[in-house]
Amino acid sequence: SETNEGKAGKIYQRIHDEQLRKIDDYKQALIYFQKSKFNISHEYFEKVKTYMEQNNQVDSENYITLLKRLVVTSYMIRKYSQAEMYLEQIITTRMKITSNEALIYTDYNNLMLHCLRANLGRAVKLGKALLSGKERNNIPIAIQKQIVSNLGSAYLLNGDYIDAKARLKECIEMKPNNKLLGQTLNNLSLACWWHKIPVYQDKKAQQQKIQTEEEEQDENEVKKAEYTLEQIDQDFSTVLNLFKKSIYAIEDVDNIESIEKRQKVQALLREGKFAPDNLLEFSNPEDEFLSNKDSGVPLLNIGEFLIATQRDKQKEAIFWFKYALTFNQKHNPINLDRGLLNLAMFCNSTKQYDLAENTFKNVLKMLEDKDRYNKVLCLQAYGSMLEKIPERSKEGKKLISDAYALAEKLPYWSIKLEQLSIPTVDILSLIHI
């Protein structure tokens, strides 16, 4: 649920936004944004920024509101380094006009969330700096929990699984709210999975991996030396249950009012089971056992985990894939592409080529304007299917070439981002133009 501080922040934001709307260029920027002409909108916001700087209006909440707008348009036109620069300016401005630690460290957390997607090295360094002894004491506990979880996610994306587990477990021990708990449990499950079976450890990633250990003494160096294969195996045995606990927390199952519904959800998420005993009981898409959109990521992760690691549990894996696909279609369409991609690859493997092709095309249409690794995977899989058809081989090779070209542009850790649960930057959800 949204905090009182968050609600107050949105109200405060609207007040300053209304003040800025008196500036003609600002109004023009909003008009072009509404028309999805983001480059032009960005240029008008930049004009307002120049005007405010020239008229000594930078040390103000109005200036921060403008910078937030610029963060949003920077995202829309894929200028992520500019977005990072504006996030830094927000922090600098905030520290000049207020000593409110909740506001200041919320801005730091926004910067860290951005860096998880666009500048992983900085995310690691920023998280470690914020959680250093003296600095950490200044951070409100609710924001501390977020930063601890984010640092764990940064380690996970970087392949530092022992550090990732330590930080994610630390966050869980701090008793975060259900949403953050669910996200953290999902990511801890991935750490336990990938530590034993390093799915994404390719040579390029290893070459580019951020070597934080060489830059400074690693606080967990002794723990790393003592981490045994038995511990890795033990962690791996918890993966499925952790995914289920993630969903349990996100859905706040213990507080579901209907006893019947609560019991159904508990049966669906019962630990120690690869799938519910009665699969048909959960096959009706009209039944609303789960409803929180954030459950979509761990739901799909369960299916992918079983496919990848439990060859004798394919029936159960297909159950989770179908459940996740139906769930995301209804509750979180923005996360539907990965489920459809899995469906397309399944159709291809079972020689249902027409259905596979139509589904691949749908996924590419959904991801047309997005920088996502799912698009790379879709281009590769679709291209490989067509390459085997003599009369379409050239078309398939072109898709595969496009996949490699896009992969080169994306950060090496972007393939992992598809399975992690990471909050969005507050600014992106705060502003509704």
Side-chain angles (χ1 to χ4, degrees), residues 2-15 430:
E2 189 175 22
T3 63
N4 290 331
E5 290 82 358
K7 292 177 182 176
K10 289 185 178 181
I11 294 170
Y12 202 44
Q13 178 77 21
R14 284 196 292 270
I15 292 171
L430 181 65

Side-chain angles (χ1 to χ4, degrees), residues 8 16 45 62 115 147 170 182 261 266 303 314 399 407 419 421:
H16 293 286
F45 281 134
N62 284 348
C115 290
I147 294 171
E170 180 185 350
K261 181 179 178 181
Q266 288 170 339
Q314 300 307 288
L399 291 171
Q419 289 177 271
S421 291

Side-chain angles (χ1 to χ4, degrees), residues 60-74:
S60 66
E61 286 287 349
N62 284 348
Y63 189 63
I64 289 176
T65 296
L66 174 66
L67 290 171
K68 289 180 178 181
R69 296 289 194 191
L70 282 163
V71 171
V72 176
T73 52
S74 295

